[in-house]
Amino acid sequence: ASIVSIYCFGYYYSAGIKSDGTVVLAGKSDWRSDEWDEQLKKNISLWTDIVALYSDGYTYLGIKKDGSVISAEDNNVVCHLW
């Protein structure tokens, strides 16, 4: 699948939404551990049906095509849009 959208994803990352709704993440934080970075990238690689991304540098969110929101900060918790 090809990249269809690119986002600045927080302070240290760039993210791309692929045509199949999955997300790829590139970059490395200079103040978080390597393990944290790898876990963030792994969690985000599991996202599906993503249409938009947002990050303020501390919270990493994906908006899914059904309107729900997924976060990668802690355990991929899914919440619904209000």
PDB file of all heavy atoms in Angstrom, residues 50-74:
ATOM      1  N   ILE A  50      -7.442   3.952   9.559  1.00  0.00           N
ATOM      2  CA  ILE A  50      -7.130   5.311   9.992  1.00  0.00           C
ATOM      3  C   ILE A  50      -7.331   6.287   8.832  1.00  0.00           C
ATOM      4  O   ILE A  50      -6.925   6.023   7.703  1.00  0.00           O
ATOM      5  CB  ILE A  50      -5.678   5.391  10.513  1.00  0.00           C
ATOM      6  CG1 ILE A  50      -5.462   4.427  11.690  1.00  0.00           C
ATOM      7  CG2 ILE A  50      -5.306   6.820  10.892  1.00  0.00           C
ATOM      8  CD1 ILE A  50      -6.334   4.681  12.900  1.00  0.00           C
ATOM      9  N   VAL A  51      -7.975   7.425   9.146  1.00  0.00           N
ATOM     10  CA  VAL A  51      -8.187   8.462   8.134  1.00  0.00           C
ATOM     11  C   VAL A  51      -7.479   9.772   8.491  1.00  0.00           C
ATOM     12  O   VAL A  51      -7.295  10.630   7.619  1.00  0.00           O
ATOM     13  CB  VAL A  51      -9.692   8.724   7.883  1.00  0.00           C
ATOM     14  CG1 VAL A  51     -10.356   7.480   7.308  1.00  0.00           C
ATOM     15  CG2 VAL A  51     -10.399   9.191   9.141  1.00  0.00           C
ATOM     16  N   ALA A  52      -7.093   9.965   9.761  1.00  0.00           N
ATOM     17  CA  ALA A  52      -6.394  11.182  10.174  1.00  0.00           C
ATOM     18  C   ALA A  52      -5.593  10.892  11.441  1.00  0.00           C
ATOM     19  O   ALA A  52      -5.908   9.964  12.193  1.00  0.00           O
ATOM     20  CB  ALA A  52      -7.381  12.315  10.431  1.00  0.00           C
ATOM     21  N   LEU A  53      -4.571  11.713  11.665  1.00  0.00           N
ATOM     22  CA  LEU A  53      -3.700  11.569  12.832  1.00  0.00           C
ATOM     23  C   LEU A  53      -3.563  12.900  13.556  1.00  0.00           C
ATOM     24  O   LEU A  53      -3.672  13.964  12.947  1.00  0.00           O
ATOM     25  CB  LEU A  53      -2.306  11.112  12.394  1.00  0.00           C
ATOM     26  CG  LEU A  53      -2.218   9.749  11.729  1.00  0.00           C
ATOM     27  CD1 LEU A  53      -0.842   9.564  11.114  1.00  0.00           C
ATOM     28  CD2 LEU A  53      -2.518   8.646  12.723  1.00  0.00           C
ATOM     29  N   TYR A  54      -3.283  12.830  14.872  1.00  0.00           N
ATOM     30  CA  TYR A  54      -3.010  14.021  15.655  1.00  0.00           C
ATOM     31  C   TYR A  54      -2.050  13.659  16.772  1.00  0.00           C
ATOM     32  O   TYR A  54      -2.136  12.585  17.364  1.00  0.00           O
ATOM     33  CB  TYR A  54      -4.289  14.594  16.275  1.00  0.00           C
ATOM     34  CG  TYR A  54      -3.973  15.716  17.233  1.00  0.00           C
ATOM     35  CD1 TYR A  54      -3.684  16.989  16.754  1.00  0.00           C
ATOM     36  CD2 TYR A  54      -3.908  15.492  18.598  1.00  0.00           C
ATOM     37  CE1 TYR A  54      -3.345  18.011  17.620  1.00  0.00           C
ATOM     38  CE2 TYR A  54      -3.570  16.508  19.468  1.00  0.00           C
ATOM     39  CZ  TYR A  54      -3.285  17.765  18.988  1.00  0.00           C
ATOM     40  OH  TYR A  54      -2.939  18.770  19.842  1.00  0.00           O
ATOM     41  N   SER A  55      -1.136  14.573  17.075  1.00  0.00           N
ATOM     42  CA  SER A  55      -0.296  14.428  18.251  1.00  0.00           C
ATOM     43  C   SER A  55       0.113  15.804  18.736  1.00  0.00           C
ATOM     44  O   SER A  55       0.416  16.690  17.943  1.00  0.00           O
ATOM     45  CB  SER A  55       0.953  13.614  17.950  1.00  0.00           C
ATOM     46  OG  SER A  55       1.775  13.571  19.098  1.00  0.00           O
ATOM     47  N   ASP A  56       0.136  15.964  20.064  1.00  0.00           N
ATOM     48  CA  ASP A  56       0.666  17.190  20.656  1.00  0.00           C
ATOM     49  C   ASP A  56       2.061  16.950  21.220  1.00  0.00           C
ATOM     50  O   ASP A  56       2.613  17.780  21.911  1.00  0.00           O
ATOM     51  CB  ASP A  56      -0.273  17.715  21.736  1.00  0.00           C
ATOM     52  CG  ASP A  56      -0.425  16.758  22.905  1.00  0.00           C
ATOM     53  OD1 ASP A  56       0.222  15.691  22.921  1.00  0.00           O
ATOM     54  OD2 ASP A  56      -1.209  17.071  23.815  1.00  0.00           O
ATOM     55  N   GLY A  57       2.632  15.789  20.923  1.00  0.00           N
ATOM     56  CA  GLY A  57       3.949  15.436  21.430  1.00  0.00           C
ATOM     57  C   GLY A  57       3.902  14.514  22.635  1.00  0.00           C
ATOM     58  O   GLY A  57       4.903  13.914  22.997  1.00  0.00           O
ATOM     59  N   TYR A  58       2.751  14.395  23.252  1.00  0.00           N
ATOM     60  CA  TYR A  58       2.587  13.517  24.412  1.00  0.00           C
ATOM     61  C   TYR A  58       1.494  12.484  24.194  1.00  0.00           C
ATOM     62  O   TYR A  58       1.533  11.412  24.754  1.00  0.00           O
ATOM     63  CB  TYR A  58       2.260  14.342  25.663  1.00  0.00           C
ATOM     64  CG  TYR A  58       3.322  15.350  25.976  1.00  0.00           C
ATOM     65  CD1 TYR A  58       3.173  16.677  25.607  1.00  0.00           C
ATOM     66  CD2 TYR A  58       4.495  14.973  26.604  1.00  0.00           C
ATOM     67  CE1 TYR A  58       4.171  17.610  25.876  1.00  0.00           C
ATOM     68  CE2 TYR A  58       5.494  15.896  26.879  1.00  0.00           C
ATOM     69  CZ  TYR A  58       5.321  17.213  26.512  1.00  0.00           C
ATOM     70  OH  TYR A  58       6.305  18.110  26.770  1.00  0.00           O
ATOM     71  N   THR A  59       0.495  12.850  23.421  1.00  0.00           N
ATOM     72  CA  THR A  59      -0.615  11.968  23.115  1.00  0.00           C
ATOM     73  C   THR A  59      -0.599  11.703  21.615  1.00  0.00           C
ATOM     74  O   THR A  59      -0.433  12.633  20.830  1.00  0.00           O
ATOM     75  CB  THR A  59      -1.958  12.630  23.500  1.00  0.00           C
ATOM     76  OG1 THR A  59      -1.890  12.999  24.870  1.00  0.00           O
ATOM     77  CG2 THR A  59      -3.116  11.699  23.276  1.00  0.00           C
ATOM     78  N   TYR A  60      -0.750  10.447  21.227  1.00  0.00           N
ATOM     79  CA  TYR A  60      -0.714  10.047  19.818  1.00  0.00           C
ATOM     80  C   TYR A  60      -2.063   9.439  19.463  1.00  0.00           C
ATOM     81  O   TYR A  60      -2.430   8.400  20.007  1.00  0.00           O
ATOM     82  CB  TYR A  60       0.432   9.065  19.583  1.00  0.00           C
ATOM     83  CG  TYR A  60       1.740   9.669  19.995  1.00  0.00           C
ATOM     84  CD1 TYR A  60       2.216   9.530  21.283  1.00  0.00           C
ATOM     85  CD2 TYR A  60       2.468  10.429  19.100  1.00  0.00           C
ATOM     86  CE1 TYR A  60       3.410  10.123  21.673  1.00  0.00           C
ATOM     87  CE2 TYR A  60       3.665  11.028  19.478  1.00  0.00           C
ATOM     88  CZ  TYR A  60       4.127  10.880  20.769  1.00  0.00           C
ATOM     89  OH  TYR A  60       5.295  11.466  21.149  1.00  0.00           O
ATOM     90  N   LEU A  61      -2.805  10.112  18.592  1.00  0.00           N
ATOM     91  CA  LEU A  61      -4.177   9.709  18.293  1.00  0.00           C
ATOM     92  C   LEU A  61      -4.366   9.429  16.809  1.00  0.00           C
ATOM     93  O   LEU A  61      -3.791  10.111  15.959  1.00  0.00           O
ATOM     94  CB  LEU A  61      -5.149  10.828  18.689  1.00  0.00           C
ATOM     95  CG  LEU A  61      -5.109  11.290  20.143  1.00  0.00           C
ATOM     96  CD1 LEU A  61      -5.966  12.522  20.305  1.00  0.00           C
ATOM     97  CD2 LEU A  61      -5.550  10.178  21.067  1.00  0.00           C
ATOM     98  N   GLY A  62      -5.203   8.446  16.524  1.00  0.00           N
ATOM     99  CA  GLY A  62      -5.633   8.171  15.162  1.00  0.00           C
ATOM    100  C   GLY A  62      -7.147   8.200  15.114  1.00  0.00           C
ATOM    101  O   GLY A  62      -7.811   7.675  16.010  1.00  0.00           O
ATOM    102  N   ILE A  63      -7.688   8.844  14.082  1.00  0.00           N
ATOM    103  CA  ILE A  63      -9.135   8.843  13.874  1.00  0.00           C
ATOM    104  C   ILE A  63      -9.437   7.781  12.834  1.00  0.00           C
ATOM    105  O   ILE A  63      -8.870   7.771  11.748  1.00  0.00           O
ATOM    106  CB  ILE A  63      -9.636  10.216  13.400  1.00  0.00           C
ATOM    107  CG1 ILE A  63      -9.302  11.286  14.442  1.00  0.00           C
ATOM    108  CG2 ILE A  63     -11.153  10.161  13.140  1.00  0.00           C
ATOM    109  CD1 ILE A  63      -9.616  12.686  13.985  1.00  0.00           C
ATOM    110  N   LYS A  64     -10.332   6.865  13.218  1.00  0.00           N
ATOM    111  CA  LYS A  64     -10.705   5.765  12.345  1.00  0.00           C
ATOM    112  C   LYS A  64     -11.899   6.163  11.475  1.00  0.00           C
ATOM    113  O   LYS A  64     -12.625   7.088  11.805  1.00  0.00           O
ATOM    114  CB  LYS A  64     -11.026   4.530  13.179  1.00  0.00           C
ATOM    115  CG  LYS A  64      -9.818   4.046  13.986  1.00  0.00           C
ATOM    116  CD  LYS A  64     -10.152   2.914  14.930  1.00  0.00           C
ATOM    117  CE  LYS A  64     -10.445   1.657  14.210  1.00  0.00           C
ATOM    118  NZ  LYS A  64      -9.381   0.692  14.090  1.00  0.00           N
ATOM    119  N   LYS A  65     -12.092   5.443  10.366  1.00  0.00           N
ATOM    120  CA  LYS A  65     -13.169   5.810   9.444  1.00  0.00           C
ATOM    121  C   LYS A  65     -14.557   5.664  10.055  1.00  0.00           C
ATOM    122  O   LYS A  65     -15.500   6.281   9.590  1.00  0.00           O
ATOM    123  CB  LYS A  65     -13.055   5.060   8.125  1.00  0.00           C
ATOM    124  CG  LYS A  65     -13.276   3.586   8.162  1.00  0.00           C
ATOM    125  CD  LYS A  65     -13.107   3.019   6.761  1.00  0.00           C
ATOM    126  CE  LYS A  65     -13.231   1.524   6.763  1.00  0.00           C
ATOM    127  NZ  LYS A  65     -13.030   0.973   5.426  1.00  0.00           N
ATOM    128  N   ASP A  66     -14.698   4.899  11.153  1.00  0.00           N
ATOM    129  CA  ASP A  66     -16.001   4.790  11.826  1.00  0.00           C
ATOM    130  C   ASP A  66     -16.225   5.903  12.848  1.00  0.00           C
ATOM    131  O   ASP A  66     -17.237   5.940  13.522  1.00  0.00           O
ATOM    132  CB  ASP A  66     -16.171   3.417  12.482  1.00  0.00           C
ATOM    133  CG  ASP A  66     -15.246   3.192  13.672  1.00  0.00           C
ATOM    134  OD1 ASP A  66     -14.435   4.089  14.030  1.00  0.00           O
ATOM    135  OD2 ASP A  66     -15.315   2.087  14.255  1.00  0.00           O
ATOM    136  N   GLY A  67     -15.240   6.828  12.981  1.00  0.00           N
ATOM    137  CA  GLY A  67     -15.375   7.949  13.910  1.00  0.00           C
ATOM    138  C   GLY A  67     -14.783   7.713  15.280  1.00  0.00           C
ATOM    139  O   GLY A  67     -14.755   8.628  16.094  1.00  0.00           O
ATOM    140  N   SER A  68     -14.314   6.510  15.564  1.00  0.00           N
ATOM    141  CA  SER A  68     -13.690   6.263  16.859  1.00  0.00           C
ATOM    142  C   SER A  68     -12.249   6.774  16.836  1.00  0.00           C
ATOM    143  O   SER A  68     -11.678   7.058  15.786  1.00  0.00           O
ATOM    144  CB  SER A  68     -13.747   4.774  17.213  1.00  0.00           C
ATOM    145  OG  SER A  68     -13.037   3.999  16.268  1.00  0.00           O
ATOM    146  N   VAL A  69     -11.692   6.941  18.030  1.00  0.00           N
ATOM    147  CA  VAL A  69     -10.333   7.450  18.183  1.00  0.00           C
ATOM    148  C   VAL A  69      -9.513   6.413  18.918  1.00  0.00           C
ATOM    149  O   VAL A  69      -9.972   5.825  19.901  1.00  0.00           O
ATOM    150  CB  VAL A  69     -10.336   8.781  18.984  1.00  0.00           C
ATOM    151  CG1 VAL A  69      -8.922   9.276  19.207  1.00  0.00           C
ATOM    152  CG2 VAL A  69     -11.169   9.821  18.256  1.00  0.00           C
ATOM    153  N   ILE A  70      -8.290   6.184  18.448  1.00  0.00           N
ATOM    154  CA  ILE A  70      -7.398   5.228  19.089  1.00  0.00           C
ATOM    155  C   ILE A  70      -6.137   5.960  19.542  1.00  0.00           C
ATOM    156  O   ILE A  70      -5.683   6.883  18.867  1.00  0.00           O
ATOM    157  CB  ILE A  70      -7.077   4.051  18.141  1.00  0.00           C
ATOM    158  CG1 ILE A  70      -6.324   2.956  18.861  1.00  0.00           C
ATOM    159  CG2 ILE A  70      -6.369   4.510  16.897  1.00  0.00           C
ATOM    160  CD1 ILE A  70      -6.288   1.636  18.117  1.00  0.00           C
ATOM    161  N   SER A  71      -5.612   5.562  20.698  1.00  0.00           N
ATOM    162  CA  SER A  71      -4.418   6.188  21.255  1.00  0.00           C
ATOM    163  C   SER A  71      -3.319   5.153  21.429  1.00  0.00           C
ATOM    164  O   SER A  71      -3.584   4.031  21.834  1.00  0.00           O
ATOM    165  CB  SER A  71      -4.752   6.802  22.618  1.00  0.00           C
ATOM    166  OG  SER A  71      -3.569   7.183  23.279  1.00  0.00           O
ATOM    167  N   ALA A  72      -2.085   5.534  21.136  1.00  0.00           N
ATOM    168  CA  ALA A  72      -0.960   4.611  21.280  1.00  0.00           C
ATOM    169  C   ALA A  72      -0.134   4.863  22.531  1.00  0.00           C
ATOM    170  O   ALA A  72       0.793   4.141  22.797  1.00  0.00           O
ATOM    171  CB  ALA A  72      -0.044   4.699  20.063  1.00  0.00           C
ATOM    172  N   GLU A  73      -0.446   5.894  23.290  1.00  0.00           N
ATOM    173  CA  GLU A  73       0.367   6.209  24.473  1.00  0.00           C
ATOM    174  C   GLU A  73       0.400   5.040  25.456  1.00  0.00           C
ATOM    175  O   GLU A  73       1.446   4.611  25.873  1.00  0.00           O
ATOM    176  CB  GLU A  73      -0.160   7.459  25.163  1.00  0.00           C
ATOM    177  CG  GLU A  73       0.641   7.835  26.379  1.00  0.00           C
ATOM    178  CD  GLU A  73       1.574   8.992  26.119  1.00  0.00           C
ATOM    179  OE1 GLU A  73       1.368   9.761  25.186  1.00  0.00           O
ATOM    180  OE2 GLU A  73       2.522   9.115  26.887  1.00  0.00           O
ATOM    181  N   ASP A  74      -0.770   4.531  25.792  1.00  0.00           N
ATOM    182  CA  ASP A  74      -0.852   3.433  26.751  1.00  0.00           C
ATOM    183  C   ASP A  74      -1.804   2.352  26.252  1.00  0.00           C
ATOM    184  O   ASP A  74      -3.001   2.505  26.343  1.00  0.00           O
ATOM    185  CB  ASP A  74      -1.349   3.913  28.112  1.00  0.00           C
ATOM    186  CG  ASP A  74      -0.407   4.915  28.737  1.00  0.00           C
ATOM    187  OD1 ASP A  74       0.796   4.643  28.788  1.00  0.00           O
ATOM    188  OD2 ASP A  74      -0.890   5.964  29.164  1.00  0.00           O
TER     189      ASP A  74
END
